Coordinates of all heavy atoms in Angstrom, one line a residue:
K101 N 0.1 -13.9 3.1 CA 0.2 -14.6 4.4 C 1.6 -14.4 5.0 O 1.8 -14.4 6.2 CB 0.0 -16.1 4.1 CG -1.3 -16.4 3.5 CD -2.2 -17.1 4.4 CE -3.6 -17.4 3.8 NZ -4.7 -17.0 4.7
V102 N 2.7 -14.4 4.2 CA 4.0 -14.3 4.6 C 4.1 -12.9 5.3 O 4.7 -12.7 6.4 CB 5.0 -14.3 3.4 CG1 6.4 -14.0 3.9 CG2 5.0 -15.7 2.9
Y103 N 3.5 -11.8 4.7 CA 3.5 -10.5 5.2 C 3.0 -10.4 6.6 O 3.5 -9.9 7.5 CB 2.9 -9.5 4.3 CG 2.8 -8.1 5.0 CD1 3.9 -7.2 4.9 CD2 1.8 -7.6 5.6 CE1 3.9 -6.0 5.4 CE2 1.7 -6.4 6.2 CZ 2.9 -5.6 6.1 OH 2.8 -4.3 6.7
E104 N 1.8 -11.0 6.8 CA 1.1 -11.1 8.0 C 1.8 -11.7 9.2 O 1.8 -11.2 10.3 CB -0.3 -11.7 7.9 CG -1.2 -11.0 7.1 CD -2.5 -11.7 6.8 OE1 -2.8 -12.8 7.5 OE2 -3.2 -11.3 5.9
S105 N 2.7 -12.7 8.9 CA 3.4 -13.4 10.0 C 4.9 -12.8 10.1 O 5.6 -13.2 10.9 CB 3.5 -14.9 9.7 OG 4.2 -15.1 8.5
A106 N 5.2 -11.8 9.3 CA 6.6 -11.2 9.3 C 6.7 -10.4 10.6 O 5.8 -9.8 11.1 CB 6.8 -10.3 8.1
A107 N 8.0 -10.3 11.0 CA 8.3 -9.4 12.1 C 8.1 -8.0 11.7 O 8.2 -7.6 10.6 CB 9.8 -9.5 12.5
T108 N 7.6 -7.2 12.7 CA 7.2 -5.8 12.4 C 8.4 -5.0 11.8 O 8.2 -4.2 10.9 CB 6.8 -5.0 13.7 OG1 5.7 -5.8 14.3 CG2 6.5 -3.6 13.5
S109 N 9.6 -5.4 12.2 CA 10.8 -4.7 11.6 C 11.1 -5.0 10.2 O 11.7 -4.3 9.4 CB 12.0 -5.0 12.5 OG 12.2 -6.4 12.5
D110 N 10.5 -6.2 9.7 CA 10.8 -6.6 8.3 C 9.7 -6.2 7.4 O 9.9 -6.2 6.1 CB 10.7 -8.2 8.3 CG 12.0 -8.8 9.0 OD1 13.0 -8.0 9.2 OD2 11.9 -10.0 9.4
K111 N 8.6 -5.7 7.9 CA 7.4 -5.3 7.0 C 7.8 -4.2 6.1 O 7.4 -4.3 4.9 CB 6.2 -5.0 7.9 CG 5.6 -6.2 8.5 CD 4.3 -5.8 9.4 CE 3.7 -7.2 9.8 NZ 2.4 -6.8 10.5
P112 N 8.5 -3.2 6.4 CA 8.9 -2.1 5.4 C 9.6 -2.8 4.1 O 9.3 -2.3 3.0 CB 9.7 -1.2 6.1 CG 9.3 -1.2 7.4 CD 8.9 -2.7 7.7
A113 N 10.5 -3.7 4.4 CA 11.2 -4.4 3.3 C 10.3 -5.2 2.4 O 10.3 -5.2 1.2 CB 12.3 -5.3 3.9
Y114 N 9.3 -5.9 3.0 CA 8.3 -6.6 2.2 C 7.4 -5.6 1.4 O 7.2 -5.9 0.3 CB 7.3 -7.5 3.2 CG 7.9 -8.7 3.6 CD1 8.4 -8.8 4.9 CD2 8.0 -9.8 2.7 CE1 8.9 -10.1 5.3 CE2 8.6 -11.0 3.1 CZ 9.0 -11.1 4.4 OH 9.6 -12.3 4.9
L115 N 7.0 -4.5 2.0 CA 6.3 -3.5 1.2 C 7.1 -3.0 0.1 O 6.4 -2.8 -1.1 CB 5.8 -2.4 2.2 CG 4.8 -2.8 3.2 CD1 4.7 -1.8 4.3 CD2 3.5 -3.1 2.6
E116 N 8.3 -2.8 0.2 CA 9.2 -2.2 -0.9 C 9.2 -3.3 -1.9 O 9.2 -3.0 -3.1 CB 10.5 -1.8 -0.4 CG 11.4 -1.3 -1.4 CD 12.7 -0.7 -0.9 OE1 13.0 -0.7 0.4 OE2 13.5 -0.3 -1.7
Y117 N 9.5 -4.5 -1.5 CA 9.6 -5.6 -2.4 C 8.4 -5.8 -3.3 O 8.4 -5.8 -4.5 CB 9.9 -6.9 -1.7 CG 10.0 -8.2 -2.6 CD1 11.1 -8.4 -3.5 CD2 9.0 -9.1 -2.5 CE1 11.1 -9.5 -4.2 CE2 9.0 -10.2 -3.3 CZ 10.1 -10.4 -4.2 OH 10.1 -11.5 -5.0
I118 N 7.2 -5.8 -2.6 CA 6.0 -6.0 -3.4 C 5.7 -4.8 -4.3 O 5.2 -5.0 -5.4 CB 4.8 -6.2 -2.4 CG1 4.9 -7.5 -1.7 CG2 3.4 -6.0 -3.0 CD1 4.1 -7.8 -0.5
W119 N 5.9 -3.6 -3.9 CA 5.7 -2.4 -4.6 C 6.5 -2.4 -5.9 O 6.0 -2.0 -7.0 CB 5.9 -1.1 -3.9 CG 5.6 0.1 -4.7 CD1 6.6 0.9 -5.3 CD2 4.4 0.4 -5.3 NE1 5.9 1.8 -6.1 CE2 4.6 1.6 -6.1 CE3 3.1 -0.1 -5.1 CZ2 3.5 2.2 -6.7 CZ3 2.1 0.6 -5.8 CH2 2.3 1.7 -6.6
H120 N 7.6 -2.9 -5.8 CA 8.6 -2.9 -7.0 C 8.4 -4.1 -8.0 O 9.2 -4.3 -9.0 CB 10.0 -2.7 -6.6 CG 10.3 -1.3 -6.1 ND1 10.2 -0.2 -6.8 CD2 10.5 -0.9 -4.8 CE1 10.5 0.8 -6.1 NE2 10.7 0.4 -4.9
R121 N 7.5 -5.1 -7.6 CA 7.3 -6.2 -8.5 C 6.4 -5.9 -9.6 O 5.2 -5.6 -9.5 CB 6.5 -7.3 -7.6 CG 7.3 -7.9 -6.5 CD 8.4 -8.9 -6.9 NE 7.8 -9.9 -7.8 CZ 7.5 -11.1 -7.4 NH1 7.6 -11.5 -6.1 NH2 7.0 -12.0 -8.3
E122 N 7.1 -5.8 -10.8 CA 6.4 -5.4 -12.0 C 5.5 -6.6 -12.6 O 4.6 -6.3 -13.4 CB 7.4 -5.0 -13.1 CG 8.2 -3.8 -12.8 CD 7.3 -2.5 -12.7 OE1 6.3 -2.4 -13.5 OE2 7.5 -1.7 -12.0
N123 N 5.7 -7.8 -12.1 CA 4.9 -8.9 -12.5 C 3.6 -9.1 -11.8 O 2.8 -9.9 -12.1 CB 5.7 -10.2 -12.5 CG 6.1 -10.6 -11.0 OD1 6.3 -9.8 -10.2 ND2 6.1 -11.9 -10.8
I124 N 3.4 -8.2 -10.8 CA 2.1 -8.1 -10.1 C 1.3 -6.9 -10.5 O 1.9 -5.8 -10.6 CB 2.3 -8.0 -8.5 CG1 3.1 -9.2 -8.0 CG2 1.0 -7.9 -7.8 CD1 3.5 -9.1 -6.5
P125 N 0.1 -7.0 -11.1 CA -0.6 -5.9 -11.5 C -0.7 -4.8 -10.5 O -0.8 -5.0 -9.4 CB -2.0 -6.4 -11.9 CG -1.8 -7.9 -12.0 CD -0.7 -8.3 -11.0
K126 N -0.6 -3.5 -11.0 CA -0.6 -2.3 -10.1 C -1.8 -2.3 -9.2 O -1.8 -2.0 -8.1 CB -0.5 -1.1 -10.9 CG -0.5 0.2 -10.1 CD -0.3 1.4 -10.9 CE -0.2 2.7 -10.0 NZ -0.1 3.9 -10.8
K127 N -3.0 -2.7 -9.8 CA -4.2 -2.8 -9.0 C -4.0 -3.7 -7.8 O -4.5 -3.3 -6.7 CB -5.4 -3.2 -9.8 CG -6.7 -3.1 -9.1 CD -7.9 -3.4 -10.0 CE -9.2 -3.2 -9.2 NZ -10.4 -3.4 -10.2
A128 N -3.5 -4.8 -8.0 CA -3.3 -5.8 -6.9 C -2.3 -5.3 -5.9 O -2.5 -5.4 -4.7 CB -2.8 -7.1 -7.5
R129 N -1.3 -4.6 -6.3 CA -0.3 -4.0 -5.4 C -1.0 -2.9 -4.6 O -0.8 -2.8 -3.4 CB 0.9 -3.4 -6.1 CG 1.8 -4.6 -6.7 CD 3.0 -4.0 -7.4 NE 2.6 -3.6 -8.7 CZ 3.2 -2.6 -9.4 NH1 4.3 -2.1 -8.9 NH2 2.7 -2.3 -10.6
M130 N -1.7 -2.0 -5.2 CA -2.5 -0.9 -4.6 C -3.5 -1.5 -3.6 O -3.7 -1.0 -2.5 CB -3.2 0.0 -5.6 CG -2.2 0.7 -6.5 SD -1.4 2.0 -5.7 CE -2.7 3.3 -5.6
Q131 N -4.2 -2.7 -3.9 CA -5.2 -3.2 -3.0 C -4.4 -3.7 -1.8 O -4.9 -3.5 -0.7 CB -5.9 -4.4 -3.8 CG -6.9 -5.1 -2.8 CD -8.0 -4.3 -2.4 OE1 -8.7 -3.6 -3.1 NE2 -8.3 -4.3 -1.1
F132 N -3.3 -4.4 -2.0 CA -2.5 -4.9 -0.9 C -2.1 -3.8 0.1 O -2.2 -3.9 1.3 CB -1.2 -5.6 -1.4 CG -0.3 -6.1 -0.3 CD1 -0.7 -7.1 0.5 CD2 0.8 -5.4 -0.1 CE1 0.2 -7.5 1.6 CE2 1.8 -5.8 1.0 CZ 1.4 -6.9 1.7
L133 N -1.6 -2.6 -0.5 CA -1.2 -1.4 0.3 C -2.4 -0.9 1.0 O -2.3 -0.5 2.1 CB -0.5 -0.4 -0.6 CG 0.8 -0.8 -1.2 CD1 1.2 0.3 -2.2 CD2 1.9 -1.1 -0.2
A134 N -3.6 -0.9 0.3 CA -4.7 -0.3 1.0 C -5.1 -1.2 2.3 O -5.5 -0.6 3.3 CB -5.8 -0.2 0.1
E135 N -5.0 -2.5 2.1 CA -5.3 -3.4 3.2 C -4.3 -3.2 4.4 O -4.7 -3.2 5.5 CB -5.3 -4.8 2.7 CG -6.5 -5.1 1.8 CD -6.4 -6.5 1.2 OE1 -5.5 -7.3 1.5 OE2 -7.3 -6.8 0.3
V136 N -3.0 -3.0 4.0 CA -2.0 -2.7 5.1 C -2.4 -1.4 5.7 O -2.3 -1.4 7.0 CB -0.6 -2.6 4.5 CG1 0.4 -2.2 5.4 CG2 -0.2 -4.0 3.9
I137 N -2.7 -0.4 5.0 CA -3.0 0.9 5.6 C -4.2 0.7 6.5 O -4.2 1.4 7.5 CB -3.3 1.9 4.4 CG1 -2.0 2.3 3.7 CG2 -3.9 3.2 5.0 CD1 -2.2 3.0 2.4
Q138 N -5.2 -0.1 6.2 CA -6.4 -0.2 6.9 C -6.2 -1.0 8.1 O -6.8 -0.8 9.2 CB -7.4 -0.7 6.1 CG -8.8 -0.8 6.7 CD -9.9 -1.2 5.8 OE1 -9.7 -1.9 4.8 NE2 -11.1 -0.8 6.0
R139 N -5.4 -2.1 8.0 CA -5.4 -3.1 9.1 C -4.2 -3.3 9.9 O -4.2 -3.8 11.0 CB -5.7 -4.5 8.4 CG -7.1 -4.5 7.8 CD -7.4 -5.9 7.4 NE -8.7 -5.9 6.8 CZ -8.9 -6.3 5.5 NH1 -7.9 -6.8 4.8 NH2 -10.1 -6.3 5.0
D140 N -3.0 -2.9 9.4 CA -1.7 -3.2 10.1 C -1.6 -2.3 11.4 O -2.0 -1.2 11.4 CB -0.5 -2.9 9.2 CG 0.7 -3.7 9.6 OD1 1.1 -3.6 10.7 OD2 1.2 -4.4 8.8
Q141 N -1.2 -3.0 12.4 CA -1.0 -2.3 13.7 C 0.3 -1.5 13.8 O 0.5 -0.8 14.7 CB -1.1 -3.3 14.9 CG -2.5 -4.0 14.9 CD -3.5 -3.0 15.2 OE1 -3.5 -2.3 16.1 NE2 -4.6 -3.1 14.4
S142 N 1.2 -1.8 12.9 CA 2.5 -1.1 12.9 C 2.4 0.3 12.2 O 2.2 0.4 11.0 CB 3.5 -1.9 12.2 OG 4.7 -1.2 11.9
L143 N 2.6 1.3 12.9 CA 2.6 2.6 12.3 C 3.7 2.8 11.3 O 3.4 3.5 10.2 CB 2.7 3.7 13.5 CG 2.5 5.1 13.1 CD1 1.1 5.3 12.6 CD2 2.8 6.0 14.3
N144 N 4.8 2.2 11.5 CA 5.9 2.3 10.5 C 5.5 1.6 9.2 O 5.7 2.2 8.1 CB 7.1 1.6 11.1 CG 8.4 1.9 10.3 OD1 8.5 3.0 9.7 ND2 9.3 0.9 10.2
A145 N 4.9 0.4 9.3 CA 4.3 -0.3 8.1 C 3.3 0.5 7.4 O 3.3 0.7 6.1 CB 3.8 -1.7 8.5
V146 N 2.3 1.2 8.2 CA 1.3 1.9 7.6 C 1.9 3.2 6.8 O 1.5 3.5 5.7 CB 0.3 2.4 8.6 CG1 -0.7 3.4 8.0 CG2 -0.4 1.2 9.1
E147 N 3.0 3.7 7.4 CA 3.6 4.9 6.8 C 4.2 4.5 5.4 O 4.1 5.2 4.5 CB 4.7 5.5 7.7 CG 5.2 6.9 7.3 CD 6.4 6.7 6.4 OE1 7.1 5.7 6.6 OE2 6.6 7.7 5.7
Y148 N 5.0 3.3 5.5 CA 5.6 2.9 4.3 C 4.6 2.6 3.2 O 4.7 3.0 2.0 CB 6.4 1.6 4.5 CG 7.9 1.9 4.9 CD1 8.3 2.3 6.0 CD2 8.8 1.8 3.9 CE1 9.6 2.6 6.4 CE2 10.2 2.0 4.1 CZ 10.5 2.5 5.4 OH 11.9 2.7 5.7
A149 N 3.5 1.9 3.6 CA 2.4 1.5 2.7 C 1.8 2.8 2.1 O 1.5 3.0 0.9 CB 1.4 0.6 3.3
G150 N 1.5 3.8 3.0 CA 1.0 5.1 2.5 C 1.8 5.8 1.5 O 1.4 6.5 0.6
R151 N 3.2 5.7 1.8 CA 4.1 6.4 0.9 C 4.1 5.8 -0.5 O 4.0 6.5 -1.5 CB 5.5 6.2 1.4 CG 6.6 7.1 0.7 CD 8.0 6.9 1.3 NE 8.0 7.0 2.7 CZ 9.0 6.5 3.6 NH1 10.1 6.1 3.0 NH2 8.9 6.6 4.8
Y152 N 4.1 4.4 -0.5 CA 4.0 3.8 -1.9 C 2.6 4.0 -2.5 O 2.4 4.2 -3.7 CB 4.4 2.3 -1.8 CG 5.8 2.1 -1.5 CD1 6.2 1.3 -0.4 CD2 6.8 2.6 -2.3 CE1 7.5 1.2 0.0 CE2 8.2 2.4 -2.0 CZ 8.5 1.7 -0.9 OH 9.8 1.5 -0.6
F153 N 1.6 3.9 -1.7 CA 0.2 4.1 -2.2 C 0.1 5.5 -2.9 O -0.5 5.6 -3.9 CB -0.8 3.9 -1.1 CG -2.2 3.9 -1.6 CD1 -2.9 2.6 -1.9 CD2 -3.0 5.0 -1.7 CE1 -4.1 2.6 -2.4 CE2 -4.2 5.0 -2.2 CZ -4.8 3.8 -2.5
S154 N 0.5 6.5 -2.1 CA 0.5 7.9 -2.6 C 1.2 8.1 -3.9 O 0.7 8.7 -4.8 CB 1.1 8.9 -1.6 OG 0.3 8.9 -0.4
K155 N 2.3 7.4 -4.1 CA 3.1 7.4 -5.3 C 2.3 6.8 -6.4 O 2.2 7.3 -7.5 CB 4.4 6.7 -5.1 CG 5.3 6.8 -6.3 CD 6.6 6.0 -6.0 CE 7.5 6.1 -7.1 NZ 8.8 5.4 -6.9
G156 N 1.7 5.7 -6.1 CA 1.0 4.9 -7.2 C -0.3 5.6 -7.6 O -0.7 5.6 -8.7
A157 N -0.9 6.3 -6.7 CA -2.1 7.1 -7.0 C -1.8 8.5 -7.4 O -2.7 9.2 -7.8 CB -3.0 7.2 -5.7
Q158 N -0.5 8.9 -7.4 CA -0.1 10.3 -7.8 C -0.9 11.3 -6.9 O -1.3 12.2 -7.4 CB -0.3 10.5 -9.2 CG 0.5 9.5 -10.1 CD 0.3 9.8 -11.6 OE1 -0.7 10.4 -12.0 NE2 1.3 9.3 -12.4
L159 N -0.9 11.0 -5.6 CA -1.5 12.0 -4.7 C -0.4 12.7 -3.9 O 0.7 12.2 -3.6 CB -2.3 11.1 -3.6 CG -3.5 10.3 -4.2 CD1 -4.1 9.5 -3.1 CD2 -4.5 11.3 -4.7
K160 N -0.7 13.9 -3.6 CA 0.2 14.7 -2.7 C -0.4 14.9 -1.3 O -0.8 16.0 -1.0 CB 0.4 16.1 -3.4 CG 1.0 16.0 -4.8 CD 2.0 17.0 -5.1 CE 2.5 17.0 -6.5 NZ 3.5 16.0 -6.8
V161 N -0.5 13.8 -0.6 CA -1.0 13.8 0.7 C 0.1 13.1 1.6 O 1.0 12.3 1.1 CB -2.3 13.0 0.9 CG1 -3.4 13.7 0.0 CG2 -2.2 11.5 0.5
K162 N 0.0 13.3 2.9 CA 0.9 12.7 3.8 C 0.7 11.2 3.8 O -0.5 10.7 3.7 CB 0.7 13.2 5.3 CG 0.9 14.7 5.3 CD 2.3 15.1 5.4 CE 2.4 16.6 5.6 NZ 3.7 17.1 5.5
P163 N 1.8 10.4 4.0 CA 1.6 9.0 4.0 C 0.7 8.4 5.1 O 0.1 7.3 5.0 CB 3.0 8.4 4.2 CG 3.9 9.5 3.8 CD 3.1 10.7 4.1
L164 N 0.5 9.2 6.2 CA -0.3 8.7 7.2 C -1.7 9.3 7.2 O -2.5 9.2 8.2 CB 0.3 9.0 8.6 CG 1.6 8.1 9.0 CD1 2.2 8.5 10.2 CD2 1.2 6.7 8.9
A165 N -2.1 9.9 6.0 CA -3.4 10.4 5.9 C -4.4 9.2 5.4 O -4.8 9.2 4.3 CB -3.4 11.5 4.9
V166 N -4.6 8.3 6.4 CA -5.2 7.1 6.2 C -6.6 7.2 5.5 O -6.9 6.6 4.6 CB -5.3 6.3 7.5 CG1 -6.1 5.1 7.3 CG2 -3.9 5.8 7.9
E167 N -7.3 8.1 6.1 CA -8.7 8.3 5.6 C -8.7 8.8 4.2 O -9.4 8.3 3.3 CB -9.5 9.3 6.5 CG -11.0 9.4 6.1 CD -11.7 10.3 7.2 OE1 -11.2 10.6 8.2 OE2 -12.9 10.6 6.9
A168 N -7.8 9.8 3.8 CA -7.8 10.3 2.6 C -7.3 9.2 1.5 O -7.9 9.1 0.4 CB -6.8 11.5 2.4
L169 N -6.4 8.4 1.9 CA -5.9 7.4 1.0 C -7.0 6.3 0.8 O -7.2 5.9 -0.3 CB -4.6 6.7 1.6 CG -3.4 7.6 1.7 CD1 -2.3 6.9 2.5 CD2 -3.0 8.1 0.4
L170 N -7.6 5.9 1.9 CA -8.7 4.9 1.7 C -9.8 5.3 1.0 O -10.6 4.6 0.2 CB -9.0 4.3 3.1 CG -7.9 3.5 3.8 CD1 -8.4 3.0 5.1 CD2 -7.4 2.3 2.9
N171 N -10.2 6.6 1.2 CA -11.3 7.2 0.4 C -11.0 7.3 -1.1 O -11.9 7.0 -1.9 CB -11.7 8.6 0.9 CG -12.4 8.6 2.2 OD1 -13.0 7.5 2.6 ND2 -12.4 9.7 2.9
W172 N -9.8 7.6 -1.4 CA -9.3 7.7 -2.8 C -9.5 6.3 -3.4 O -9.9 6.1 -4.5 CB -7.9 8.2 -2.9 CG -7.5 8.3 -4.3 CD1 -7.6 9.4 -5.1 CD2 -6.9 7.3 -5.2 NE1 -7.2 9.2 -6.4 CE2 -6.7 7.9 -6.4 CE3 -6.6 6.0 -5.1 CZ2 -6.2 7.1 -7.6 CZ3 -6.1 5.2 -6.0 CH2 -5.9 5.8 -7.3
W173 N -9.0 5.3 -2.7 CA -9.0 3.9 -3.2 C -10.5 3.5 -3.4 O -10.8 2.9 -4.3 CB -8.3 3.0 -2.2 CG -8.2 1.6 -2.7 CD1 -8.8 0.5 -2.1 CD2 -7.6 1.1 -3.9 NE1 -8.6 -0.7 -2.9 CE2 -7.8 -0.3 -4.0 CE3 -6.9 1.7 -4.9 CZ2 -7.4 -1.0 -5.1 CZ3 -6.4 1.0 -6.0 CH2 -6.6 -0.4 -6.0
S174 N -11.4 3.8 -2.5 CA -12.7 3.4 -2.6 C -13.4 4.0 -3.9 O -14.1 3.4 -4.6 CB -13.5 3.9 -1.4 OG -14.8 3.5 -1.5
D175 N -13.0 5.3 -4.1 CA -13.5 6.0 -5.3 C -12.9 5.6 -6.6 O -13.5 5.8 -7.6 CB -13.4 7.5 -5.1 CG -14.2 8.0 -4.0 OD1 -15.2 7.4 -3.5 OD2 -13.9 9.2 -3.5
N176 N -11.7 5.1 -6.6 CA -10.9 4.9 -7.8 C -10.5 3.5 -8.2 O -10.0 3.2 -9.3 CB -9.7 5.8 -7.8 CG -10.0 7.2 -7.8 OD1 -10.4 7.8 -8.9 ND2 -10.0 7.9 -6.7
K177 N -10.6 2.5 -7.3 CA -10.2 1.2 -7.5 C -10.7 0.5 -8.8 O -10.0 -0.2 -9.4 CB -10.3 0.3 -6.3 CG -11.7 0.0 -5.9 CD -11.7 -0.9 -4.7 CE -13.1 -1.0 -4.0 NZ -13.1 -1.6 -2.7
D178 N -12.0 0.8 -9.1 CA -12.6 0.2 -10.2 C -12.1 0.8 -11.5 O -12.2 0.1 -12.6 CB -14.1 0.3 -10.1 CG -14.7 -0.5 -9.0 OD1 -14.1 -1.6 -8.6 OD2 -15.7 -0.2 -8.5
K179 N -11.4 1.9 -11.5 CA -10.8 2.5 -12.6 C -9.5 2.0 -13.0 O -9.0 2.3 -14.1 CB -10.8 4.0 -12.5 CG -12.2 4.6 -12.2 CD -12.1 6.1 -11.9 CE -13.4 6.7 -11.4 NZ -13.2 8.0 -10.8
M180 N -8.9 1.3 -12.1 CA -7.5 0.8 -12.3 C -7.5 -0.4 -13.1 O -8.4 -1.2 -13.0 CB -6.8 0.7 -10.9 CG -6.6 1.9 -10.2 SD -5.2 1.8 -8.9 CE -3.8 2.0 -10.0
E181 N -6.3 -0.6 -13.8 CA -6.2 -1.8 -14.5 C -5.3 -2.8 -13.7 O -4.5 -2.4 -13.0 CB -5.5 -1.5 -15.9 CG -6.3 -0.7 -16.8 CD -5.6 -0.5 -18.1 OE1 -4.7 -1.0 -18.4 OE2 -6.2 0.5 -18.8

């Protein structure tokens, strides 16, 4: 909820903060990033989310390859812990 109401310029910082939270399961962080990639109107936020998502998924795709990232998540989310 905090992320959704954040200023667009603050969203990359929130994404970085969430990604580096070790007390949040990786699957939950990846789900959050996938939702940002799918729904956020900020191209900058989507790019940051895509960068962290690609890192978490160990993918070598561009951060703005939205369709590829979301397809990977759809195919692999149930395999994550």
Side-chain angles (χ1 to χ4, degrees):
K101 302 247 181 230
V102 172
Y103 176 83
E104 291 174 11
S105 62
T108 301
S109 59
D110 293 340
K111 288 183 175 185
Y114 279 107
L115 292 167
E116 182 174 356
Y117 175 74
I118 290 167
W119 179 249
H120 291 292
R121 294 284 306 264
E122 295 294 326
N123 63 328
I124 300 173
K126 184 176 180 181
K127 184 175 183 174
R129 290 180 282 155
M130 296 286 285
Q131 178 64 47
F132 175 74
L133 294 173
E135 290 172 9
V136 170
I137 291 166
Q138 185 174 25
R139 296 190 183 119
D140 205 301
Q141 297 298 308
S142 167
L143 189 58
N144 193 34
V146 171
E147 192 270 335
Y148 268 79
R151 192 178 314 162
Y152 291 122
F153 189 95
S154 293
K155 183 177 179 180
Q158 299 179 341
L159 298 173
K160 300 218 185 282
V161 299
K162 302 282 185 187
L164 291 175
V166 171
E167 187 174 349
L169 296 173
L170 295 177
N171 285 341
W172 184 93
W173 184 242
S174 178
D175 293 342
N176 294 282
K177 66 183 169 189
D178 293 332
K179 300 173 191 168
M180 295 201 78
E181 295 180 11

